[in-house]
Amino acid sequence: MSLSLPTPERRMVLSRRSLWLAYATAGYNLLEGLVAIAAGAAASSTALIGFGLDSFVEVSSAAVLIWQFRSRAPEDRERLALRLIGVSFFALAAWVTFDAVRSLSTGGDADASPVGIGLAVASLIVMPLLVRAKRRTGRELGSATVMADSTQTMLCAYLSAVLLVGLVLNAVWGWSWADPLAALVIAGVAVKEGIEAWRGEHCDDCAPLAAVGEGPDCADACCTDGKA
């Protein structure tokens, strides 16, 4: 099936959509982080506090996207934006690993947190919707930055699932070790995605560009120096 590049007018629409999706992500994650940290402090839950801090990492990724798409020529900022998102992946992995190891080593018991469980359920609904919208927009626009940011959001959805399982297992059976073990797996995925973002390898998802034979160089410069 033959796909075509979006027209300049369509690119403007997609760029504005990317900007508003970034605003929505930042706003939701800011609220999510504040609620998670407050609930975590009340329940002495390192998982909830770590989840709240992860939300602020997601805000930083959205802020990079906002910075890029507020430019008149967002493609000129693609390379730097990708690397900044890569850094946010590494920060996420570092924190999740630290928090998971600390939870496993201290073996502290957290109280049940109905607020935390409700927050995790809400995030499992909201995050996949944002991921779907970002990926559709990123593929049509041919933007590796939007694709990388959608992966960051998907990792946060995974963390929401991990948090929910951990909180439920802790509340029902007292299995406090389940959450940090699963979080370590997600940390490994975050490192992989961070490396790909830093190298510009998210260009593989620029489907419209690949379909029209643009070769290794995306129109948004997401691949130009990716092999350097």
Side-chain angles (χ1 to χ4, degrees):
M1 183 176 64
S2 175
L3 297 175
S4 60
L5 290 170
T7 63
E9 293 78 13
R10 180 60 178 168
R11 289 183 66 81
M12 288 182 62
V13 171
L14 293 170
S15 293
R16 285 196 297 269
R17 183 183 299 169
S18 298
L19 184 60
W20 284 110
L21 284 170
Y23 279 128
T25 301
Y28 179 83
N29 277 277
L30 182 61
L31 178 61
E32 177 187 75
L34 293 172
V35 173
I37 289 176
S44 299
S45 169
T46 56
L48 262 174
I49 293 174
F51 182 74
L53 292 175
D54 162 69
S55 298
F56 296 136
V57 172
E58 174 68 8
V59 171
S60 72
S61 178
V64 170
L65 212 63
I66 292 169
W67 168 77
Q68 181 188 353
F69 283 96
R70 284 185 64 87
S71 169
R72 291 182 179 274
E75 62 275 9
D76 293 341
R77 295 181 171 181
E78 184 92 54
R79 185 75 223 143
L80 178 57
L82 265 178
R83 290 194 168 182
L84 290 172
I85 289 177
V87 171
S88 74
F89 274 119
F90 297 142
L92 169 59
W95 171 256
V96 169
T97 300
F98 169 78
D99 188 59
V101 171
R102 184 178 63 176
S103 296
L104 287 171
S105 61
T106 59
D109 294 329
D111 298 330
S113 177
V115 173
I117 292 174
L119 180 65
V121 171
S123 294
L124 277 174
I125 296 172
V126 173
M127 291 300 174
L129 293 176
L130 286 172
V131 170
R132 182 179 180 184
K134 288 179 181 181
R135 288 188 173 172
R136 290 181 61 183
T137 302
R139 287 195 180 103
E140 186 176 354
L141 184 59
S143 172
T145 313
V146 178
M147 297 302 297
D149 184 61
S150 75
T151 303
Q152 175 75 282
T153 304
M154 178 56 74
L155 282 175
C156 289
Y158 292 156
L159 279 175
S160 300
V162 168
L163 176 69
L164 179 61
V165 171
L167 291 177
V168 170
L169 290 178
N170 184 48
V172 177
W173 289 294
W175 293 356
S176 58
W177 46 264
D179 172 67
L181 282 181
L184 286 174
V185 176
I186 292 177
V189 176
V191 170
K192 174 181 177 293
E193 293 296 337
I195 292 172
E196 290 183 0
W198 184 267
R199 292 176 176 173
E201 293 175 7
H202 283 84
C203 256
D204 294 340
D205 291 312
C206 299
L209 303 176
V212 295
E214 285 290 316
D217 295 327
C218 291
D220 285 311
C222 53
C223 289
T224 54
D225 77 349
K227 303 297 182 185

